[in-house]
Amino acid sequence: MRWAVVNDEATEQRSAGQITSTNQSGEGVEEKAAAGKLSMAREFDAPFATEYPWHRAPAVTALSSADRQALEALVKARADSFRPPFEGVYAALKTSPQIKVEDVRKSKCLDKAYAAGVRIDAPTAGQLDATLTGNAEVVLRSTSGDLFRPADPAKFQKIKGEEARMCAGMALYSAFPPRMVVARNPAGDWEAVY
Protein backbone atom coordinates (compact mmCIF):
# COMPACT_ATOMS: atom_id res chain seq x y z
CA MET A 1 0.00 0.00 0.00
CA ARG A 2 1.39 3.42 -0.96
CA TRP A 3 0.38 6.78 0.40
CA ALA A 4 1.34 10.43 0.15
CA VAL A 5 0.17 13.75 1.51
CA VAL A 6 -1.02 15.98 -1.34
CA ASN A 7 -0.22 19.63 -0.60
CA ASP A 8 -1.98 22.74 -1.88
CA GLU A 9 1.26 24.11 -3.32
CA ALA A 10 4.17 22.54 -5.15
CA THR A 11 7.74 22.62 -3.85
CA GLU A 12 10.78 22.80 -6.12
CA GLN A 13 14.25 21.36 -5.62
CA ARG A 14 17.22 22.37 -7.74
CA SER A 15 20.43 20.39 -8.01
CA ALA A 16 23.05 19.83 -10.70
CA GLY A 17 21.12 21.79 -13.31
CA GLN A 18 17.88 19.87 -12.72
CA ILE A 19 14.64 21.09 -11.25
CA THR A 20 12.12 18.74 -9.65
CA SER A 21 8.71 19.84 -8.53
CA THR A 22 6.09 18.00 -6.48
CA ASN A 23 2.94 18.68 -4.53
CA GLN A 24 3.40 15.52 -2.43
CA SER A 25 5.13 14.91 0.90
CA GLY A 26 4.96 12.34 3.66
CA GLU A 27 5.14 9.49 1.17
CA GLY A 28 5.25 5.93 2.44
CA VAL A 29 4.89 2.29 1.56
CA GLU A 30 3.69 -0.72 3.54
CA GLU A 31 4.05 -4.27 2.27
CA LYS A 32 2.50 -7.45 3.62
CA ALA A 33 2.90 -10.98 2.33
CA ALA A 34 -0.40 -12.82 2.38
CA ALA A 35 -2.56 -15.35 0.59
CA GLY A 36 -6.30 -14.77 0.27
CA LYS A 37 -8.19 -11.74 1.50
CA LEU A 38 -5.98 -9.01 2.94
CA SER A 39 -6.91 -5.89 4.83
CA MET A 40 -4.61 -2.90 5.27
CA ALA A 41 -5.46 0.40 6.91
CA ARG A 42 -3.67 3.64 7.57
CA GLU A 43 -4.93 6.62 9.56
CA PHE A 44 -4.74 9.95 7.76
CA ASP A 45 -5.87 13.50 8.27
CA ALA A 46 -8.35 14.83 5.72
CA PRO A 47 -9.98 17.97 7.13
CA PHE A 48 -11.54 18.69 3.74
CA ALA A 49 -13.50 15.42 3.72
CA THR A 50 -16.99 15.21 5.18
CA GLU A 51 -17.73 12.21 7.36
CA TYR A 52 -21.23 10.78 7.17
CA PRO A 53 -22.86 8.33 9.62
CA TRP A 54 -22.61 5.39 7.20
CA HIS A 55 -18.82 5.76 6.94
CA ARG A 56 -18.46 4.03 10.29
CA ALA A 57 -21.27 1.54 9.77
CA PRO A 58 -20.40 -2.14 9.35
CA ALA A 59 -20.05 -3.52 5.84
CA VAL A 60 -23.11 -5.03 4.21
CA THR A 61 -22.19 -8.63 3.47
CA ALA A 62 -25.59 -9.95 2.37
CA LEU A 63 -29.09 -8.70 1.61
CA SER A 64 -32.08 -10.47 3.08
CA SER A 65 -35.41 -10.69 1.26
CA ALA A 66 -36.67 -7.96 3.62
CA ASP A 67 -33.71 -5.76 2.56
CA ARG A 68 -34.51 -6.36 -1.11
CA GLN A 69 -38.16 -5.47 -0.55
CA ALA A 70 -37.16 -2.30 1.31
CA LEU A 71 -34.77 -1.32 -1.51
CA GLU A 72 -37.47 -1.93 -4.14
CA ALA A 73 -39.88 0.22 -2.11
CA LEU A 74 -37.24 2.96 -1.81
CA VAL A 75 -36.67 3.02 -5.58
CA LYS A 76 -40.42 2.96 -6.30
CA ALA A 77 -41.05 5.80 -3.83
CA ARG A 78 -38.33 7.88 -5.50
CA ALA A 79 -39.89 7.34 -8.95
CA ASP A 80 -43.38 8.05 -7.58
CA SER A 81 -42.16 11.37 -6.13
CA PHE A 82 -42.28 12.86 -9.63
CA ARG A 83 -45.77 14.29 -9.34
CA PRO A 84 -47.06 17.66 -8.15
CA PRO A 85 -46.08 19.27 -5.80
CA PHE A 86 -42.71 17.48 -6.35
CA GLU A 87 -41.59 17.75 -2.71
CA GLY A 88 -39.80 14.38 -2.89
CA VAL A 89 -37.91 15.54 -5.98
CA TYR A 90 -36.93 18.82 -4.32
CA ALA A 91 -35.73 16.92 -1.24
CA ALA A 92 -33.59 14.66 -3.46
CA LEU A 93 -32.18 17.70 -5.29
CA LYS A 94 -31.01 19.30 -2.02
CA THR A 95 -28.18 16.74 -1.89
CA SER A 96 -26.91 17.82 -5.33
CA PRO A 97 -24.49 20.77 -4.95
CA GLN A 98 -24.74 21.78 -8.63
CA ILE A 99 -28.54 22.23 -8.51
CA LYS A 100 -30.10 25.33 -6.96
CA VAL A 101 -33.42 24.02 -5.70
CA GLU A 102 -35.01 27.45 -5.34
CA ASP A 103 -34.19 28.25 -8.99
CA VAL A 104 -35.83 24.98 -10.07
CA ARG A 105 -38.91 25.76 -7.95
CA LYS A 106 -39.15 29.29 -9.29
CA SER A 107 -38.84 28.22 -12.94
CA LYS A 108 -41.59 25.60 -12.51
CA CYS A 109 -39.73 23.42 -15.02
CA LEU A 110 -40.82 20.23 -13.23
CA ASP A 111 -44.45 21.35 -13.55
CA LYS A 112 -43.87 22.01 -17.27
CA ALA A 113 -42.27 18.59 -17.74
CA TYR A 114 -45.13 16.87 -15.93
CA ALA A 115 -47.71 18.81 -17.99
CA ALA A 116 -45.89 17.71 -21.16
CA GLY A 117 -46.41 14.08 -20.13
CA VAL A 118 -42.93 13.24 -18.80
CA ARG A 119 -43.05 10.37 -16.31
CA ILE A 120 -40.29 8.41 -14.57
CA ASP A 121 -40.03 4.63 -14.73
CA ALA A 122 -38.21 2.51 -12.16
CA PRO A 123 -37.27 -1.16 -12.37
CA THR A 124 -39.92 -3.70 -11.54
CA ALA A 125 -39.46 -6.22 -8.74
CA GLY A 126 -37.20 -8.65 -10.59
CA GLN A 127 -35.13 -5.97 -12.37
CA LEU A 128 -33.44 -4.29 -9.40
CA ASP A 129 -29.75 -5.17 -9.17
CA ALA A 130 -28.08 -4.51 -5.80
CA THR A 131 -24.28 -4.68 -5.77
CA LEU A 132 -22.46 -5.03 -2.46
CA THR A 133 -19.33 -2.86 -2.25
CA GLY A 134 -17.59 -4.44 0.74
CA ASN A 135 -18.57 -1.34 2.73
CA ALA A 136 -21.84 0.01 4.15
CA GLU A 137 -22.90 1.32 0.72
CA VAL A 138 -24.93 -0.73 -1.76
CA VAL A 139 -25.15 0.30 -5.43
CA LEU A 140 -28.57 0.00 -7.06
CA ARG A 141 -29.00 -0.40 -10.81
CA SER A 142 -31.51 -1.94 -13.14
CA THR A 143 -30.68 -5.21 -14.87
CA SER A 144 -32.05 -3.64 -18.07
CA GLY A 145 -30.09 -0.36 -18.05
CA ASP A 146 -30.52 2.84 -16.05
CA LEU A 147 -32.15 2.65 -12.63
CA PHE A 148 -34.53 5.49 -13.49
CA ARG A 149 -35.52 6.58 -16.99
CA PRO A 150 -38.23 8.60 -18.68
CA ALA A 151 -41.19 6.38 -19.60
CA ASP A 152 -41.32 8.13 -23.01
CA PRO A 153 -38.19 10.21 -23.81
CA ALA A 154 -40.03 11.89 -26.73
CA LYS A 155 -42.21 13.73 -24.20
CA PHE A 156 -39.20 15.94 -23.34
CA GLN A 157 -39.59 17.64 -26.72
CA LYS A 158 -43.08 18.73 -25.71
CA ILE A 159 -41.76 20.84 -22.81
CA LYS A 160 -42.25 24.45 -23.85
CA GLY A 161 -39.08 26.56 -23.86
CA GLU A 162 -35.45 25.57 -24.21
CA GLU A 163 -34.60 26.81 -20.68
CA ALA A 164 -37.45 24.82 -19.15
CA ARG A 165 -36.36 21.71 -21.09
CA MET A 166 -32.75 22.09 -19.92
CA CYS A 167 -33.79 22.81 -16.31
CA ALA A 168 -36.08 19.77 -16.25
CA GLY A 169 -33.45 17.55 -17.83
CA MET A 170 -30.76 18.52 -15.31
CA ALA A 171 -33.11 18.32 -12.33
CA LEU A 172 -34.54 14.95 -13.34
CA TYR A 173 -31.11 13.46 -14.10
CA SER A 174 -29.91 14.58 -10.64
CA ALA A 175 -32.99 13.33 -8.78
CA PHE A 176 -33.33 10.13 -10.84
CA PRO A 177 -29.77 8.95 -11.59
CA PRO A 178 -28.80 5.91 -13.68
CA ARG A 179 -27.58 4.27 -10.47
CA MET A 180 -28.04 5.12 -6.83
CA VAL A 181 -25.96 4.38 -3.75
CA VAL A 182 -27.83 3.56 -0.57
CA ALA A 183 -26.88 2.79 3.03
CA ARG A 184 -28.67 2.20 6.28
CA ASN A 185 -29.30 5.30 8.40
CA PRO A 186 -28.75 5.20 12.19
CA ALA A 187 -32.35 3.96 12.62
CA GLY A 188 -31.52 0.98 10.38
CA ASP A 189 -33.65 2.09 7.41
CA TRP A 190 -32.26 2.22 3.86
CA GLU A 191 -31.78 5.68 2.36
CA ALA A 192 -30.15 7.15 -0.72
CA VAL A 193 -26.75 8.58 0.17
CA TYR A 194 -25.58 9.64 -3.33
Side-chain angles (χ1 to χ4, degrees):
M1 178 170 79
R2 295 183 179 275
W3 65 85
V5 174
V6 179
N7 303 303
D8 291 336
E9 295 184 22
T11 57
E12 289 185 357
Q13 291 183 347
R14 299 171 189 258
S15 65
Q18 293 184 339
I19 299 174
T20 59
S21 177
T22 183
N23 67 338
Q24 295 183 354
S25 64
E27 298 172 350
V29 176
E30 182 178 344
E31 294 182 19
K32 285 187 181 179
K37 188 174 182 177
L38 173 67
S39 177
M40 298 175 82
R42 174 152 175 88
E43 291 288 324
F44 63 93
D45 183 34
F48 55 86
T50 304
E51 184 172 352
Y52 294 100
W54 67 87
H55 288 161
R56 297 201 182 261
V60 176
T61 57
L63 294 173
S64 67
S65 61
D67 287 327
R68 290 193 182 278
Q69 288 174 353
L71 293 173
E72 288 170 2
L74 176 74
V75 170
K76 183 177 179 343
R78 174 69 70 98
D80 290 346
S81 72
F82 184 62
R83 63 174 46 113
F86 308 109
E87 291 308 316
V89 178
Y90 293 131
L93 291 176
K94 284 182 183 175
T95 63
S96 181
Q98 68 271 19
I99 301 287
K100 295 180 180 171
V101 177
E102 285 313 308
D103 290 350
V104 175
R105 277 186 195 270
K106 204 164 37 172
S107 74
K108 299 215 176 270
C109 64
L110 296 180
D111 296 272
K112 293 172 185 173
Y114 194 83
V118 175
R119 300 296 184 269
I120 301 297
D121 276 348
T124 58
Q127 295 177 319
L128 185 64
D129 178 47
T131 304
L132 304 181
T133 63
N135 295 310
E137 298 94 340
V138 174
V139 180
L140 301 180
R141 297 181 184 96
S142 171
T143 57
S144 61
D146 292 345
L147 181 62
F148 298 106
R149 61 198 165 279
D152 182 358
K155 299 284 186 183
F156 265 93
Q157 297 309 315
K158 294 184 177 190
I159 300 172
K160 293 184 178 159
E162 185 64 33
E163 278 189 40
R165 215 175 359 264
M166 181 167 298
C167 170
M170 290 175 58
L172 293 177
Y173 184 81
S174 294
F176 303 102
R179 67 177 179 261
M180 188 165 62
V181 179
V182 297
R184 285 188 178 97
N185 63 24
D189 298 324
W190 290 103
E191 66 180 19
V193 293
Y194 56 91

